[in-house]
Amino acid sequence: MNSTQLLILLIYCYQKCGKTVNQMQLRLGEFAIDKLDLIEDTKGNAGDNGRLIVTNLRIIWHSLLLPRINLSIGYNTFITANSKTIYTLQGRHTQALHILASFQNCRYEFIFTNQDPKSTRHYTSVIGVYRAYISSKVYREIKLRSGIINEQLLTLLPQETVCSTLQDIWNLSLEQGNMGTFIVTNIRLVWFADMNYQFNISIPYLIIANISIKSSKFGPTLVIVSTESSGGYILGFRVRPLERLHVVYKEILMLFQTFEKFPIFGVDYTLEHQAPLQQELNIEQYSEIQDNQVEMLNVFGYYFSEGLNQKKPSFSNYLGLAAENSEETNKLQSIWELVPQN
């Protein structure tokens, strides 16, 4: 699984989806920031006690009784994250974590409540880490014409060090090319025009798909290709002489390969009142069972965001009582059958 796939990850593994359990394991560069028990997935698994794990890339919830019942929501899918007062089944008002997310052209709503009424960490931690994620996009996205150059010097990010600075490098993004300065760091590649510092580009290793030397009308050219999810950009840089081009290429390739082993996502957050983290996530390995896509779609239906459209209830012959009309893709009978029979 590459970094982009994880950043947009939105998985709900319900009972039979055993092979997605492996995707709950933390990937390279991912670490747990906070862990809380006594957290309920109120919208999808009301009454089921679970654990909420807040990492630098996503939040993970899983049932303590059946870890195969779980959620993984990447911050990249978040639209909003805030606290919300709700009325619980226990007959009391409580502050819940409310998340609105978007994935594959659908909107989803998640509500997490803390069974400890005195604790607010279930939403303060998530909201704080999410804000840190939003403010660190330069680690994970291409930036054009941004204020990263100050008096011909690159403004360094936390954990960033400059490995080399190259003068007289042509950016071939335009037909005529532009002369500028090329900076290689342990986190990204940066180029800026000598005549206009605001004409610049920052390319983090996280979104680079390929680095190569190719022939062009300008001669041998250093070519950087970004991942499809980041736009599939093709960027060319002319480095002279040829020996220098090969030296630069080998240096960037070595740094890129090192970064893949030890990625830096840039999300830095410290809890105000740091509590001891619980034992590392260790979910039982279940035998792989082929996913039933229809069942998966039905489970996702638990979390569909209804928006502002209010649906009038009507009599259901199947249930024998009045119920809201469901969408065509989530028929009432199939949703009802998701409830465990025991």
Side-chain angles (χ1 to χ4, degrees):
M1 183 193 313
N2 62 37
S3 60
T4 304
Q5 288 175 318
L6 181 58
L7 293 175
I8 63 172
L9 192 61
L10 178 60
I11 296 174
Y12 186 83
C13 174
Y14 192 89
Q15 292 185 342
K16 294 184 179 181
C17 304
K19 69 179 180 181
T20 58
V21 171
N22 291 334
Q23 294 174 317
M24 289 179 63
Q25 303 302 319
L26 305 188
R27 60 146 291 163
L28 292 175
E30 184 181 15
F31 54 88
I33 296 174
D34 201 4
K35 298 181 184 179
L36 300 98
D37 287 337
L38 303 177
I39 304 299
E40 176 189 88
D41 168 25
T42 303
K43 192 161 186 181
N45 293 280
D48 190 359
N49 191 24
R51 172 176 295 171
L52 182 69
I53 302 168
V54 185
T55 84
N56 57 325
L57 299 180
R58 54 178 169 160
I59 64 171
I60 302 169
W61 180 91
H62 69 84
S63 165
L64 291 176
L65 182 63
L66 288 173
R68 287 176 296 179
I69 299 178
N70 55 69
L71 276 166
S72 173
I73 314 170
Y75 299 130
N76 198 43
T77 66
F78 281 27
I79 299 175
T80 60
N82 48 46
S83 62
K84 180 180 182 180
T85 302
I86 65 170
Y87 190 75
T88 66
L89 294 175
Q90 291 75 27
R92 59 182 174 85
H93 288 87
T94 187
Q95 287 292 108
L97 168 64
H98 178 261
I99 296 171
L100 186 63
S102 176
F103 185 68
Q104 293 184 349
N105 298 321
C106 292
R107 286 197 172 194
Y108 300 92
E109 181 184 47
F110 303 91
I111 299 174
F112 298 97
T113 55
N114 198 328
Q115 301 307 302
D116 179 1
K118 297 181 180 179
S119 176
T120 61
R121 276 173 52 193
H122 61 300
Y123 60 83
T124 56
S125 290
V126 173
I127 294 173
V129 176
Y130 174 57
R131 287 173 178 171
Y133 178 87
I134 291 297
S135 65
S136 59
K137 287 185 177 181
V138 67
Y139 286 84
R140 305 178 301 274
E141 297 180 2
I142 290 181
K143 295 295 182 181
L144 299 170
R145 300 180 182 273
S146 56
I148 58 176
I149 306 299
N150 184 21
E151 296 182 357
Q152 291 188 288
L153 295 176
L154 174 65
T155 301
L156 295 178
L157 302 169
Q159 305 182 64
E160 184 176 29
T161 56
V162 173
C163 300
S164 61
T165 301
L166 309 171
Q167 306 293 334
D168 302 329
I169 305 299
W170 287 82
N171 183 336
L172 306 178
S173 58
L174 300 176
E175 285 297 322
Q176 71 275 14
N178 284 274
M179 180 74 76
T181 300
F182 192 81
I183 303 174
V184 180
T185 83
N186 62 322
I187 290 175
R188 55 180 171 165
L189 305 175
V190 175
W191 178 92
F192 65 91
D194 292 338
M195 300 299 293
N196 180 6
Y197 302 156
Q198 292 302 310
F199 183 36
N200 57 60
I201 184 169
S202 171
I203 316 164
Y205 294 131
L206 272 172
I207 57 86
I208 292 179
N210 183 261
I211 304 170
S212 61
I213 296 176
K214 294 186 177 181
S215 297
S216 71
K217 68 178 183 179
F218 298 97
T221 301
L222 176 67
V223 177
I224 311 294
V225 180
S226 75
T227 57
E228 184 177 347
S229 60
S230 68
Y233 295 101
I234 301 176
L235 306 165
F237 300 93
R238 193 183 76 172
V239 184
R240 292 293 180 269
L242 185 59
E243 294 77 10
R244 187 188 186 199
L245 170 61
H246 285 282
V247 170
V248 172
Y249 167 72
K250 290 180 180 179
E251 179 187 24
I252 295 174
L253 194 60
M254 180 188 67
L255 289 168
F256 176 60
Q257 292 171 346
T258 301
F259 187 89
E260 285 187 316
K261 296 178 181 178
F262 307 98
I264 300 173
F265 291 93
V267 183
D268 186 19
Y269 180 81
T270 303
L271 295 174
E272 293 182 4
H273 304 288
Q274 181 69 51
L277 293 182
Q278 299 170 11
Q279 185 178 358
E280 285 297 314
L281 176 63
N282 183 20
I283 298 175
E284 180 183 353
Q285 299 298 310
Y286 295 90
S287 58
E288 181 172 314
I289 302 175
Q290 186 174 358
D291 295 345
N292 186 318
Q293 295 300 322
V294 175
E295 289 184 7
M296 286 293 290
L297 288 174
N298 289 336
V299 173
F300 273 119
Y302 273 133
Y303 303 96
F304 281 140
S305 177
E306 298 175 358
L308 300 176
N309 295 328
Q310 299 296 324
K311 301 173 184 177
K312 294 182 178 181
S314 59
F315 183 78
S316 168
N317 292 325
Y318 176 71
L319 294 178
L321 47 79
E324 288 184 357
N325 293 320
S326 62
E327 298 292 339
E328 184 65 25
T329 56
N330 295 278
K331 294 181 180 179
L332 185 60
Q333 180 173 346
S334 60
I335 293 177
W336 180 258
E337 290 174 349
L338 288 172
V339 179
Q341 297 301 314
N342 58 350

